[in-house]
Amino acid sequence: GAVVSQHPSWVICKSGTSVKIECRSLDFQATTMFWYRQFPKQSLMLMATSNEGSKATYEQGVEKDKFLINHASLTLSTLTVTSAHPEDSSFYICSTVGGRDNEQFFGPGTRLTVL
Amino acid sequence: TQLLEQSPQFLSIQEGENLTVYCNSSSVFSSLQWYRQEPGEGPVLLVTVVTGGEVKKLKRLTFQFGDARKDSSLHITAAQPGDTGLYLCAGLYNQGGKLIFGQGTELSVKP
């Protein structure tokens, strides 16, 4: 399957600052990537669909001005959490679509802690 | 709104026992994927089932897709402590589209 990396793997920031998370498809050209967040012991919640060269599509209830997504190339999508607050602390995971049956392959995740 | 109900959400068993995890929906899926996730890591794809009635085996894990492609099950035989983790089912209801995730099953296998 596709190999996906994320950077950083963890980040701690102060409330009010912005944090950028990178998602890279290392061996696959990804026109579409997905961003999820996950709380402890819970399933993945889709935040948005990132489309190369166009605006991201956000799920209902996700603030697009707070979670800025940029997909400027076929191998890189970024998620910027703007003016982060403690309630934004979570595990953020990205994925690419690939494979014969449109499977999704996930990055290792980024743990964000906002103090 | 498509929903995928996964059960049980928590399961604690002894090594050597068998278990089954279920995912059910009222919607028809193009395919259904099963993932396993360990703490602090991203989900890892175990298998994809596509055809109604399909059965796939991965060592001690058996995956089944319902005839109507609305439900799926994961059966683990003789569970081992290394099977401990979060198991997620996810349905794809249009090609290249979004996955609908179940709530997840937190499995703990005690030696």
Side-chain angles (χ1 to χ4, degrees):
Chain A
V3 180
V4 182
S5 70
Q6 281 184 240
H7 178 80
S9 55
W10 59 270
V11 56
I12 301 173
C13 69
K14 292 182 178 180
S15 186
T17 60
S18 294
V19 175
K20 180 185 284 189
I21 302 170
E22 294 184 348
C23 176
R24 292 184 185 276
S25 178
L26 299 181
D27 60 350
F28 183 76
Q29 291 189 326
T31 55
T32 301
M33 292 185 177
F34 297 93
W35 285 97
Y36 298 82
R37 68 186 296 182
Q38 184 180 34
F39 293 106
K41 304 294 186 183
Q42 293 187 20
S43 188
L44 278 67
M45 184 188 79
L46 180 64
M47 299 176 66
T49 303
S50 172
N51 303 296
E52 187 266 337
S54 65
K55 291 183 179 180
T57 305
Y58 290 82
E59 294 301 300
Q60 190 173 7
V62 178
E63 301 174 59
K64 61 180 181 181
D65 294 330
K66 180 166 186 64
F67 297 100
L68 300 178
I69 291 173
N70 184 276
H71 193 156
S73 78
L74 288 172
T75 59
L76 175 64
S77 175
T78 60
L79 168 68
T80 301
V81 183
T82 62
S83 187
H85 288 96
E87 57 265 30
D88 298 324
S89 298
S90 189
F91 194 51
Y92 292 87
I93 314 174
C94 67
S95 71
T96 64
V97 180
R100 184 184 64 185
D101 297 313
N102 288 306
E103 296 96 336
Q104 287 192 22
F105 298 95
F106 289 85
T110 297
R111 171 74 58 194
L112 170 64
T113 302
V114 185
L115 302 176
Chain B
T1 303
Q2 285 79 5
L3 289 174
L4 194 52
E5 296 290 332
Q6 185 172 348
S7 63
Q9 292 189 35
F10 299 95
L11 194 54
S12 181
I13 61 173
Q14 293 295 128
E15 182 176 2
E17 293 183 10
N18 302 333
L19 67 116
T20 303
V21 178
Y22 300 93
C23 276
N24 296 287
S25 175
S26 58
S27 302
V28 176
F29 291 105
S30 302
S31 66
L32 195 138
Q33 299 165 27
W34 285 92
Y35 294 86
R36 179 169 172 267
Q37 184 182 23
E38 299 200 36
E41 300 181 9
V44 175
L45 180 67
L46 295 174
V47 79
T48 300
V49 285
V50 180
T51 306
E54 183 176 11
V55 177
K56 283 190 175 179
K57 292 194 174 184
L58 188 65
K59 296 184 180 178
R60 292 176 293 100
L61 279 60
T62 301
F63 305 85
Q64 186 162 5
F65 203 13
D67 291 341
R69 290 186 289 134
K70 294 182 180 180
D71 56 273
S72 182
S73 64
L74 158 61
H75 182 79
I76 301 180
T77 304
Q80 298 176 3
D83 296 327
T84 294
L86 178 67
Y87 289 83
L88 297 158
C89 62
L92 177 70
Y93 66 93
N94 55 58
Q95 294 299 322
K98 299 181 289 189
L99 285 179
I100 303 298
F101 275 87
Q103 296 93 330
T105 297
E106 186 74 38
L107 172 64
S108 174
V109 183
K110 302 185 188 307

